[in-house]
Amino acid sequence: MSTTRPQSGELGPEPNGVLGGLPPGTPGGPVRSLALGSASGIVPLARDFTRQALYDWGWLPAATADRRAAAEDVLLVVSELVTNACLHAEGPDELKVGCDGKVLRLEVSDRGAGQPAPRTPHRAGRPGGHGMFIVQRLCLDWGVVRVPGAPGKTVWAELAAPG
């Protein structure tokens, strides 16, 4: 298994693997999976699935503006990762959402060979090309995991749990 980072050395320590990096369920933390391969309305489906996990894990309903913003950031990152898989990677296969109480990890697996990266230079006033820039700005860390000899990749992102 290999991890490819968009800007090596700038995004913190290497993960240990795919929800797997937070080991499945991370010590005491739940992990949920959603197959996306043949679904229609994939982006809203992924958001709804993640929103339900946030309710079940106590992130929602949010008691404060900071907690509400944290939940909205998670939903935006899910939308961006799934949309990128739809547009650039032959569509997403699976979404995984895991939380250990301190970090929420999102993973989107796809069949694409491309390498996601923030578009540079970033041009805020132009339509399109903002997805990975948004992910980079909102997340503690993100990256790509590939399994040698297997098609596709998993793009993962980690966000801080609200405090």
Side-chain angles (χ1 to χ4, degrees):
M1 183 177 328
S2 69
T3 299
T4 306
R5 294 177 134 355
Q7 299 167 352
S8 182
E10 293 183 16
L11 296 177
E14 290 290 327
N16 297 328
V18 183
L19 272 177
L22 297 171
T26 304
V31 175
R32 296 189 179 188
S33 299
L34 175 66
L36 295 170
S38 61
S40 62
I42 290 175
V43 175
L45 179 66
R47 284 178 64 92
D48 290 346
F49 174 81
T50 304
R51 183 180 292 110
Q52 185 59 53
L54 295 178
Y55 270 101
D56 293 346
W57 296 338
W59 286 46
L60 292 171
T64 66
D66 285 346
R67 292 181 72 82
R68 186 170 34 261
E72 289 171 3
D73 287 352
V74 169
L75 297 174
L76 178 54
V77 170
V78 165
S79 294
E80 295 299 340
L81 295 178
V82 173
T83 297
N84 279 354
C86 291
L87 295 175
H88 306 294
E90 303 174 34
D93 288 328
E94 182 178 39
L95 166 66
K96 288 186 180 179
V97 182
C99 187
D100 71 354
K102 295 181 182 181
V103 174
L104 183 126
R105 183 173 173 110
L106 304 169
E107 297 182 359
V108 177
S109 300
D110 63 51
R111 298 172 294 283
Q115 179 65 27
R119 191 175 289 173
T120 55
H122 181 252
R123 295 190 173 119
R126 291 199 152 171
H130 305 291
M132 294 312 293
F133 179 78
I134 290 169
V135 170
Q136 182 176 310
R137 296 286 296 213
L138 293 179
C139 294
L140 297 170
D141 201 1
W142 73 276
V144 179
V145 176
R146 296 179 190 277
V147 176
K153 64 187 170 301
T154 298
V155 181
W156 58 270
E158 295 177 341
L159 296 97

